[in-house]
Amino acid sequence: MIYQSIRQMKKMLGQLDTWLDKTSEYAKKKSFDANTLLAFRLAPDQFPFVRQVQTACDTAKFAVARLTGKEAPKQADDEQTIEALHARVRSVVAWLDGFTAKDFAGAETRTVTTPRWEGKVMTGEDYLLEHAMPNFFFHTTDVFAMLRHNGVDIGKKDYLGTLSLRSP
């Protein structure tokens, strides 16, 4: 189950990348600089758009790092354009592409902690289900909502992406 969850995170980051494409297309069509959206917030106490994208990427890469015992790549958090956000998303997806199901052997029972937990720990399974997945979807959904709010033509199919449909 852990590897499948990571596959879904990777898929969603791919969807997020397509939302960025649609954002650039929309801005061009409406004659405004898409980069102005990087500072947009849905509420005053929320992260701005740029940080929502960064956090979605970080949540996926840190989940994989914590569940496999590998070190996550460092990123400077200095993106100032839609193109730079594309590069960040794509670099995380490329890093995630390097993992197989075997890399997650024993991840369910691995002890996981973060600096914010002040010495407390969770099992890998609990971490994934109670922290990583909800956090990841919170931030990707905020990105989606911000773009929708600003008129970018994305809908549920853009959120879900291609489904693994087949004939019975």
Side-chain angles (χ1 to χ4, degrees), residues 15-85:
Q15 291 310 113
L16 192 156
D17 196 48
T18 65
W19 308 340
L20 295 175
D21 284 335
K22 289 188 175 209
T23 300
S24 296
E25 292 167 14
Y26 176 74
K28 186 175 181 181
K29 179 180 165 186
K30 294 292 186 176
S31 301
F32 73 92
D33 181 0
N35 298 319
T36 61
L37 294 176
L38 272 67
F40 181 78
R41 298 170 191 259
L42 284 175
D45 65 343
Q46 275 192 314
F47 289 159
F49 180 82
V50 65
R51 185 134 179 233
Q52 297 286 356
V53 174
Q54 292 167 341
T55 305
C57 289
D58 287 353
T59 301
K61 74 179 183 182
F62 290 136
V64 169
R66 290 177 179 127
L67 292 167
T68 63
K70 309 286 186 202
E71 188 165 334
K74 293 185 183 354
Q75 293 170 304
D77 293 339
D78 60 358
E79 293 85 6
Q80 296 180 15
T81 64
I82 295 290
E83 283 308 311
L85 288 175

Side-chain angles (χ1 to χ4, degrees), residues 8 11-12 14-16 18-19 137 144 155-164:
Q8 182 61 30
K11 178 185 175 185
M12 288 302 300
Q15 291 310 113
L16 192 156
T18 65
W19 308 340
F137 284 108
F144 186 85
K156 190 172 187 177
K157 286 184 179 182
D158 298 292
Y159 187 86
L160 294 176
T162 304
L163 302 176
S164 302

Side-chain angles (χ1 to χ4, degrees), residues 4 21 24 38 67 72-73 77-78 85-86 91 96 105 112 116 118 120 125 128 131 143 150 157 160:
Q4 290 82 354
D21 284 335
S24 296
L38 272 67
L67 292 167
D77 293 339
D78 60 358
L85 288 175
H86 269 300
S91 72
L96 296 176
V112 175
R116 293 176 55 190
E118 300 174 347
K120 295 190 172 95
E125 183 175 31
L128 179 67
H131 182 78
V143 169
N150 281 283
K157 286 184 179 182
L160 294 176

